[in-house]
Amino acid sequence: MLKSHYERIANEILMHFRNIRKNATDVYLGDSLEMDKDGNPLTIQETISDSRDLAEDLETKIKWEKVSKIIENMEDEREKEIIILRYGLDNKKPLTQREVAQRLNISRSYVSRIEKKVLNDIKNKVDKN
């Protein structure tokens, strides 16, 4: 009985050391790489750069919200449908001009003209605001 108890303890210790060895290769963002000249640790997280420009991201988001609102409030349903179908809005798959033309039973060139006109209108409205 005593031998069985020691075997269990030995097994637990072995499992503990195996677990430590397995996790020895884990790296965390807060891990220190080196010390700076003032003795402060330099962490991995501090060395990772992010090339995104938050101001630009915010500006893009604001413009997209304006565009969405403009499209949502469009009075001409055909123009609205063409833009939604062409650009895959409302969680739809984007379609080619040819596919939109077939779906709406109009010519591809007519889809192209409407799309160009609507995009120009949207751009003017966004720029004006």
Side-chain angles (χ1 to χ4, degrees):
M1 177 127 174
L2 193 58
K3 185 177 178 182
S4 155
H5 182 69
Y6 286 121
E7 287 174 354
R8 266 199 347 247
I9 292 173
N11 190 33
E12 289 292 326
I13 292 171
L14 283 173
M15 285 175 36
H16 174 71
F17 284 122
R18 284 184 190 131
N19 193 30
I20 289 174
R21 189 173 39 216
K22 183 176 82 175
N23 293 334
T25 59
D26 291 352
V27 178
Y28 300 95
L29 292 176
D31 289 350
S32 177
L33 292 173
E34 60 184 44
M35 297 292 194
D36 67 10
K37 64 181 178 190
D38 298 325
N40 300 315
L42 178 64
T43 65
I44 293 172
Q45 184 173 9
E46 293 170 332
T47 64
I48 298 173
S49 69
D50 186 355
S51 62
R52 292 180 296 173
D53 181 351
L54 295 179
E56 189 176 309
D57 288 351
L58 181 61
E59 185 178 330
T60 300
K61 184 176 181 181
I62 290 169
K63 281 185 179 179
W64 176 244
E65 287 173 357
K66 287 179 185 178
V67 169
S68 295
K69 198 165 276 192
I70 291 167
I71 293 170
E72 185 180 307
N73 295 325
M74 286 175 66
E75 293 178 13
D76 188 314
E77 289 300 318
R78 176 170 270 180
E79 289 179 356
K80 182 177 180 177
E81 185 175 12
I82 287 172
I83 293 300
I84 289 171
L85 293 173
R86 277 291 287 134
Y87 293 95
L89 307 177
D90 294 341
N91 294 318
K92 293 180 170 44
K93 178 182 166 259
L95 301 177
T96 64
Q97 287 180 345
R98 181 166 278 115
E99 291 169 327
V100 172
Q102 288 172 346
R103 183 174 286 193
L104 300 179
N105 202 26
I106 57 179
S107 72
R108 191 211 51 81
S109 63
Y110 189 49
V111 170
S112 178
R113 282 194 305 267
I114 291 174
E115 179 182 353
K116 186 175 180 180
K117 175 202 173 289
V118 171
L119 292 178
N120 194 37
D121 290 349
I122 290 171
K123 183 183 180 317
N124 290 335
K125 287 179 182 178
V126 168
D127 289 345
K128 188 169 63 171
N129 291 335

